[in-house]
Amino acid sequence: MLLDPSATHCADIALERLWPALAKRYTRHKNQHRLAVFRQALQQDFKRLYDCMADLYSDQWDFYFHLEQSLTQAAQAWMTADCDHQVYSAEQHAWLQSEQTIGATGYVDLFAGNLRKLHDQIPYLNEMSVGYLHLMPFFDVPEGDNDGGYAIKDYGKINPLVGTMAQLKSVATALHDNNIRLVLDFVFNHTSDQHQWALAAKAGDRRYQDFYWLFRDAADKDPYSPYLRDIFPDKRAGCFTWNDELQAEVWTTFNDFQWDLNYQNPEVYTAMCAEMLKLVDAGADVIRLDALAFTWKQPGSNCENLPKAHRLIQAFNAFLRLAAPGVVLKSEAIVAPDEVVKYISADECPVSYNPNLMALLWEALATRQTKLLIAGSQARSRLPEHTVWVNYLRCHDDIGWAFADADAWNVGINPHDHRYFLNQFYTGQFPGSFATGVPFQADPKTGDCRISGTLASLSGLEQAYQTQGPTEHAIKRILLLHGIILAFKGIPLIYLGDEVAMLNDYSYRDHEDRQSDSRWVHRIDFAHTGAGQRTVEGTPQHKVFTGLVDMIKLRRDHPVFGAGDLCVLPSVAENVYAFSRTYQGQTLLVVANFSERGCRLDVAQCFNLGLDATTVDLITNLQLDPVEGLELAPYQQLWLLNSR
Ligand code: GLC
Ligand code: GLC
């Protein structure tokens, strides 16, 4: 009878066999305690690594070799780390849930110039109490179009325009000294076509050709092509790119210079584990798994969110627990909400973007109606223990209308037509729209489109300037949206520049490598954002920045914003969004008006929100008595705190 490789005792036997050789390597290591703790970590977590790898690769001729390889890599990372590791426990990552953790994200070159100068920007980050900093990839990339750093040539080398590995380590240390955790991208779905593996493949090396998906015969694509979605339809139809040197088509989900890795090959998995360790070594606390939904391919499927993609990510997670248990994975799944949540667990990605909330907040801002926001966030905000949302409004990418069709139908909205409306609205084509966004990857074939633009431009500030109209509503919209993500459960993430109301920058249109990618309209040199104005009273920059910093301070003063349970409340008025957070006898009630018209909630509506006694609004510090009803000014939000 054949032995089932997933039988429980198989992992134990494998470990028993592999351990002696491993331990021998470190017999002379000065820190034998470390080795002993590593042995304990294996006791606890090796089986997970084994199981994941067996599920993915046990039918491959060299499975056992790669299992040993993974274990050796993990041991090496553990034994040579700068400080002692503890055996993994979810409590190590409690900081993720804390009200203290405020996130920010941006590009090193745009925000600071380079890694060396990033040190000088730390005081600025401290002004906002940033504790989680996601820096876009700054590794070695080809010149010209490199998808904003997402076409990586070498993880061991920093783009010389940005700095050196030594400078990165020094920045990481400085950030840590300031209680700022570092988040780095692991672009593991693809490499640049200039990566040494791709070069070797092109030069005819069969081993490296097996690192990618090559199709010499067009018919070999047939099991895949008809099912795939175009991610960058503006640039190219289909997911394949002809390469002359290889006389083959290469799988390229994104740009034609980004070659998808072939994870069916276990050598790719172990090689990428080694690359991931370079991020750990550089000082990353969180590793953002870029485009993770696309990493496994299977004939007859759309090759997104496949069960084996999940298994692969779990394998990376299991590996990390043995190599660097303090580091966590973050999911970048910008897909349908039902799929987004499948990546989120302590054993897969404990951290995830919340694209559903992001899209719904913009939706409510456009419609001045909160029914879809309520339906979508009510159904989809709860996460498993030890995991956390990253709640954001803007990032370096476009806005896709990633709410669930079912949620829309449930509140009487046709999702297809509604997405069309939202695109018209945010590109300023819908009559009366306040937004000045730019379409991204409009696909005439499907009618699909996404939106680029800065938070301030999408919120109406640019239009207010153009028409010399009042800026008040735009500023309130910016603060309203930020207030929601600050009060919501999860890590609020600020896209650097939005805190000073930066506007769209259209100069990318004159830039050969950028003009075909409208996301550059919101990827802006920080020096051009007018951030200095934040200290000049009366300016929009000042109003936005101080409003934001005040709310950050409130959040950090009250633990209810961190650990508090979240409950999204049923509708009390069509333009009102309300949710509560409860923690240790305290209740915070957030009530927000998504309309430019003021509104009044009567006693009954207040009662429905659970307001039955005098309460204080943290934001204005005013006492409110629900017996008199509640007044909400245009775009006002209340943060009502009750202690019982
Ligand atoms: C991710 C990045 C995006 C990039 C894509 C391909 O979605 O956020 O900027 O274009 O992956 O790497
Ligand atoms: C697609 C991907 C997403 C990425 C985006 C880049 O939507 O699903 O991961 O951020 O393209 O614009």
Side-chain angles (χ1 to χ4, degrees):
M1 196 181 76
L2 282 179
L3 202 63
D4 173 5
S6 62
T8 328
H9 61 290
C10 290
D12 296 339
I13 296 174
L15 185 57
E16 250 172 63
R17 287 175 176 164
L18 292 170
W19 175 253
L22 199 64
K24 203 160 160 218
R25 276 170 193 254
Y26 299 104
T27 39
R28 287 172 201 281
H29 195 280
K30 57 180 185 316
N31 191 342
Q32 285 299 307
H33 177 65
R34 247 188 208 198
L35 190 62
V37 182
F38 183 59
R39 175 75 220 190
Q40 287 167 18
L42 289 174
Q43 218 68 47
Q44 179 181 294
D45 290 314
F46 176 75
K47 187 172 179 331
R48 283 190 55 237
L49 178 66
Y50 175 90
D51 285 347
C52 294
M53 286 189 71
D55 279 357
L56 295 167
Y57 302 123
S58 66
D59 58 351
Q60 307 260 354
W61 67 276
D62 53 355
F63 163 62
Y64 207 79
F65 171 82
H66 292 291
L67 180 68
E68 179 164 18
Q69 184 81 2
S70 286
L71 187 59
T72 314
Q73 283 175 348
Q76 177 74 6
W78 184 290
M79 294 304 293
T80 57
D82 290 340
C83 56
D84 288 343
H85 290 312
Q86 291 163 19
V87 177
Y88 165 82
S89 80
E91 277 65 43
Q92 278 169 280
H93 303 144
W95 66 273
L96 291 166
Q97 317 283 341
S98 165
E99 72 285 355
Q100 301 298 317
T101 305
I102 307 292
T105 177
Y107 292 83
V108 174
D109 54 345
L110 295 177
F111 178 54
N114 57 38
L115 280 169
R116 196 174 43 75
K117 293 191 193 150
L118 191 62
H119 289 267
D120 306 335
Q121 292 286 51
I122 292 178
Y124 179 73
L125 297 172
N126 288 341
E127 283 180 50
M128 290 179 281
S129 309
V130 169
Y132 165 114
L133 181 65
H134 170 210
L135 298 174
M136 292 318 144
F138 39 63
F139 294 92
D140 199 18
V141 285
E143 268 178 51
D145 190 357
N146 49 48
D147 193 22
Y150 283 89
I152 291 176
K153 257 167 78 178
D154 184 355
Y155 273 103
K157 196 172 160 215
I158 309 282
N159 179 348
L161 298 172
V162 180
T164 63
M165 218 18 132
Q167 286 172 348
L168 172 57
K169 287 187 185 176
S170 131
V171 161
T173 309
L175 292 171
H176 292 153
D177 289 346
N178 282 273
N179 282 325
I180 303 174
R181 258 85 169 199
L182 178 59
V183 187
L184 293 179
D185 272 273
F186 186 41
V187 186
F188 74 124
N189 175 65
H190 45 264
T191 71
S192 148
D193 61 356
Q194 304 300 314
H195 191 286
Q196 56 167 347
W197 301 338
L199 297 180
K202 285 189 252 187
D205 190 328
R206 290 280 303 274
R207 179 168 166 199
Y208 288 103
Q209 289 177 359
D210 291 341
F211 271 46
Y212 299 98
W213 288 87
L214 308 182
F215 298 89
R216 292 195 172 80
D217 190 339
D220 294 343
K221 295 182 310 183
D222 292 349
Y224 302 101
S225 300
Y227 309 97
L228 304 175
R229 174 165 77 101
D230 292 353
I231 301 299
F232 289 158
D234 250 13
K235 298 196 165 175
R236 172 175 48 92
C239 289
F240 303 93
T241 305
W242 176 256
N243 182 271
D244 267 341
E245 287 141 292
L246 288 163
Q247 286 295 303
E249 280 182 276
V250 185
W251 198 313
T252 52
T253 299
F254 293 88
N255 289 291
D256 54 14
F257 50 83
Q258 289 165 307
W259 287 16
D260 285 39
L261 285 162
N262 177 7
Y263 280 101
Q264 248 93 325
N265 175 358
E267 190 169 11
V268 170
Y269 167 70
T270 49
M272 288 305 282
C273 282
E275 298 297 287
M276 186 165 77
L277 287 177
K278 293 178 184 167
L279 300 177
V280 171
D281 194 45
D285 302 284
V286 178
I287 289 178
R288 173 189 181 274
L289 293 181
D290 181 66
L292 79 188
F294 301 90
T295 46
W296 200 269
K297 333 276 192 205
Q298 192 175 295
S301 78
N302 68 355
C303 299
E304 292 183 39
N305 311 307
L306 290 173
K308 288 229 168 140
H310 288 281
R311 214 53 186 139
L312 177 68
I313 296 155
Q314 289 159 14
F316 278 114
N317 176 305
F319 173 77
L320 207 51
R321 270 190 205 172
L322 295 175
V327 179
V328 275
L329 294 178
K330 172 186 184 190
S331 158
E332 191 245 352
I334 315 299
V335 289
D338 285 337
E339 297 298 336
V340 173
V341 291
K342 292 185 188 158
Y343 293 93
I344 310 174
S345 75
D347 290 345
E348 197 165 331
C349 291
V351 188
S352 169
Y353 281 106
N354 191 349
N356 183 47
L357 182 71
M358 185 275 289
L360 291 173
L361 287 171
W362 287 108
E363 188 274 338
L365 202 67
T367 57
R368 286 80 157 171
Q369 291 191 346
T370 53
K371 60 182 179 180
L372 185 52
L373 172 60
I374 293 172
S377 59
Q378 215 162 34
R380 301 171 193 282
S381 297
R382 193 163 282 287
L383 286 184
E385 220 191 336
H386 304 305
T387 64
V388 69
W389 287 119
V390 169
N391 297 311
Y392 68 117
L393 304 165
R394 294 298 298 111
C395 69
H396 69 293
D397 281 334
D398 44 289
I399 300 177
W401 302 110
F403 52 78
D405 287 1
D407 294 346
W409 288 119
N410 280 343
V411 293
I413 290 175
N414 173 325
H416 178 270
D417 296 357
H418 201 51
R419 289 192 177 98
Y420 177 78
F421 156 73
L422 290 167
N423 284 321
Q424 294 290 105
F425 186 92
Y426 280 107
T427 51
Q429 297 172 72
F430 188 82
S433 164
F434 50 73
T436 46
V438 183
F440 177 68
Q441 302 296 335
D443 187 348
K445 228 170 43 203
T446 58
D448 214 17
C449 175
R450 283 118 76 186
I451 298 293
S452 295
T454 67
L455 176 78
S457 288
L458 295 176
S459 301
L461 192 61
E462 188 174 327
Q463 192 191 72
Y465 285 146
Q466 279 164 357
T467 57
Q468 299 183 336
T471 54
E472 196 189 318
H473 281 161
I475 291 167
K476 288 187 170 164
R477 290 184 195 110
I478 298 171
L479 289 172
L480 171 68
L481 294 188
H482 273 122
I484 302 290
I485 61 166
L486 279 164
F488 216 75
K489 195 171 172 75
I491 299 175
L493 182 72
I494 299 164
Y495 182 54
L496 286 167
D498 283 344
E499 73 284 7
V500 287
M502 74 176 166
L503 298 176
N504 286 350
D505 176 350
Y506 299 94
S507 63
Y508 75 99
R509 289 176 176 161
D510 307 323
H511 200 303
E512 203 190 323
D513 300 326
R514 297 182 174 174
Q515 56 198 196
S516 68
D517 188 336
S518 71
R519 291 175 297 174
W520 287 100
V521 81
H522 57 254
R523 298 172 175 176
I524 299 170
D525 190 338
F526 191 70
H528 298 160
T529 56
Q533 297 283 91
R534 75 185 181 284
T535 54
V536 181
E537 224 160 297
T539 61
Q541 286 87 345
H542 180 261
K543 289 181 190 162
V544 169
F545 191 80
T546 50
L548 188 60
V549 167
D550 288 348
M551 289 190 290
I552 289 174
K553 192 164 177 323
L554 291 172
R555 174 184 158 106
R556 285 168 46 92
D557 280 347
H558 299 279
V560 67
F561 287 98
D565 282 337
L566 171 84
C567 178
V568 175
L569 300 171
S571 174
V572 289
E574 68 164 15
N575 51 316
V576 171
Y577 182 54
F579 57 88
S580 68
R581 307 285 314 272
T582 42
Y583 182 62
Q584 293 188 341
Q586 268 197 334
T587 301
L588 172 85
L589 183 65
V590 174
V591 187
N593 176 9
F594 271 74
S595 150
E596 64 269 65
R597 281 191 299 268
C599 76
R600 193 185 150 70
L601 300 181
D602 61 25
V603 185
Q605 287 165 313
C606 288
F607 189 76
N608 286 341
L609 289 172
L611 272 180
D612 50 11
T614 307
T615 159
V616 177
D617 170 32
L618 293 176
I619 296 181
T620 54
N621 206 16
L622 291 176
Q623 283 241 326
L624 299 172
D625 187 356
V627 175
E628 292 162 18
L630 271 187
E631 293 288 343
L632 285 165
Y635 297 118
Q636 186 178 10
Q637 67 190 305
L638 304 169
W639 286 5
L640 305 171
L641 189 67
N642 268 336
S643 303
R644 311 202 165 169

